[in-house]
Amino acid sequence: MSNPFVHLELSTPDAAKAKAFYSSLFGWEFTDNDMGPGGVYSTFKPSSGPGGGLFSMPGMPTFWLAYVGVEEINAATDKRSEERRVGKECRSRWSPY
């Protein structure tokens, strides 16, 4: 795959419940990272595939967000800007891009 997923992120209203669920389902282990006033960001790294994190923020919807790796960020964003210029739209409900 030329542009693999490199990070997965879950926004959830109940981080403790989500960590318990994914730990029991997949055996994932989480590391909690104190983000100060931003709360706690819990990271995981499965035995294969991309790792990721999860967080809880008041008012945020529940969703998974996948990050895709690119070889060169400026070229990738220039390509996306050109696609938007010629009228191609590829936007999710929650993405401002």
Side-chain angles (χ1 to χ4, degrees):
M1 178 185 301
S2 60
N3 294 95
F5 292 116
V6 295
H7 185 81
L8 304 169
E9 193 167 72
L10 174 63
S11 170
T12 176
D14 191 332
K17 191 180 278 188
K19 288 190 290 186
F21 174 78
Y22 289 106
S23 291
S24 68
L25 187 64
F26 299 125
W28 292 352
E29 294 181 7
F30 291 88
T31 301
D32 291 339
N33 303 280
D34 184 355
M35 304 300 284
V40 174
Y41 189 77
S42 301
T43 57
F44 63 89
K45 177 65 178 130
S47 59
S48 66
L54 63 83
F55 66 96
S56 183
M57 188 176 295
M60 287 288 286
T62 300
F63 62 88
W64 275 101
L65 177 62
Y67 292 78
V68 178
V70 295
E71 192 168 317
E72 209 285 309
I73 189 63
N74 292 322
T77 55
D78 288 348
K79 179 180 178 183
R80 178 65 184 128
S81 294
E82 176 61 16
E83 288 176 348
R84 290 186 82 179
R85 189 188 68 74
V86 298
K88 293 182 183 177
E89 284 298 320
C90 165
R91 185 185 317 209
S92 80
R93 232 167 77 163
W94 304 109
S95 173
Y97 303 105

